[in-house]
Amino acid sequence: MNLFTIVAASCLSKTTFAFTSSVHQNVRSATALNANVGIYYSTQTGNTETVAGYISEAAGVDIVDIGDAADDEITALDSIIVGAPTWHTDQEEERSGTEWDTWLYSTLPNIDVSGKNVAVFGVGDQASYAEYYCDAAGELYDLFEAAGCKMMGFTSTDGYDHDSSKAERDGKFIGLMCDEDNQDDMSEDRAKAWVEQLKGEGFF
């Protein structure tokens, strides 16, 4: 009986160790999955931060205001999610009215982000600004693409009620578009679906 107990205990110990080791390996793998991904945003009213939070929760990646971001932090990443509101409507440049307006034209041209995966999200108001919906997201897209990034995460325009947007290319949005003023109840689910789409595209 004592011999059986010792053998059983020994086997259980080995099994427990193997299981624990496997769990630790899985934790490390999950951490490594998102180790080289960053989410950057800037906001005027807090809506863009809210949507960034939904994306963060779905992706397991912390959010950072672009005004607080270090250049070497960004250049060390493999994939970058960026998002902005639209404040300066009907403008060709500096559309967001946030820190992005400075960063895109003063910092981005002076760092090397070529070859990185980039996905864009925008936040706008379809009812009040139907002709300029999420225009700043289009500016982010254009400038990161011009910097040599691989742009990912296009989405359908179905389910939106706007007239035009500089964030559209060939009938699709260049990323995730959310409306916290008129469709706030849809933003979280849209963010979750977008993150899953990005996983399928190999973004993470």
Side-chain angles (χ1 to χ4, degrees):
M1 177 65 71
N2 290 339
L3 178 59
F4 173 76
T5 302
I6 293 171
V7 171
S10 175
C11 290
L12 179 60
S13 178
K14 290 179 180 178
T15 302
T16 302
F17 175 78
F19 175 76
T20 303
S21 177
S22 175
V23 169
H24 280 291
Q25 287 175 356
N26 287 338
V27 169
R28 285 196 296 270
S29 297
T31 302
L33 177 67
N34 296 325
N36 288 317
V37 179
I39 301 174
Y40 297 91
Y41 75 99
S42 198
T43 190
Q44 274 275 2
T45 64
N47 286 344
T48 306
E49 184 174 13
T50 296
V51 174
Y54 293 145
I55 298 169
S56 169
E57 185 174 353
V61 180
D62 291 337
I63 62 174
V64 179
D65 190 304
I66 192 62
D68 299 326
D71 295 354
D72 57 352
E73 170 189 320
I74 292 176
T75 56
L77 298 171
D78 294 325
S79 299
I80 310 167
I81 296 174
V82 295
T86 296
W87 202 256
H88 299 149
T89 56
D90 200 26
Q91 298 297 310
E92 291 304 313
E93 295 182 352
E94 301 181 359
R95 300 171 192 160
S96 75
T98 70
E99 289 294 329
W100 281 117
D101 293 350
T102 299
W103 193 92
L104 288 171
Y105 295 95
S106 298
T107 302
L108 181 58
N110 297 308
I111 61 175
D112 183 10
V113 293
S114 60
K116 297 186 184 301
N117 300 323
V118 172
V120 178
F121 70 96
V123 180
D125 181 343
Q126 302 167 81
S128 300
Y129 303 98
E131 296 179 0
Y132 314 107
Y133 183 58
C134 292
D135 278 359
E139 185 178 14
L140 290 177
Y141 176 91
D142 290 338
L143 293 175
F144 274 98
E145 184 184 45
C149 298
K150 180 181 179 182
M151 308 307 293
M152 306 173 74
F154 278 52
T155 61
S156 173
T157 59
D158 292 347
Y160 296 83
D161 185 19
H162 66 291
D163 295 330
S164 61
S165 172
K166 288 185 172 69
E168 286 186 39
R169 301 291 184 278
D170 300 322
K172 286 190 174 184
F173 285 130
I174 50 81
L176 170 68
M177 302 303 136
C178 290
D179 184 343
E180 285 292 285
D181 294 294
N182 305 288
Q183 296 180 332
D184 59 303
D185 58 328
M186 303 174 72
S187 295
E188 186 171 8
D189 286 341
R190 281 173 169 166
K192 289 178 180 177
W194 191 55
V195 168
E196 289 303 310
Q197 176 186 329
L198 289 173
K199 289 178 181 178
E201 293 179 11
F203 185 88
F204 294 96

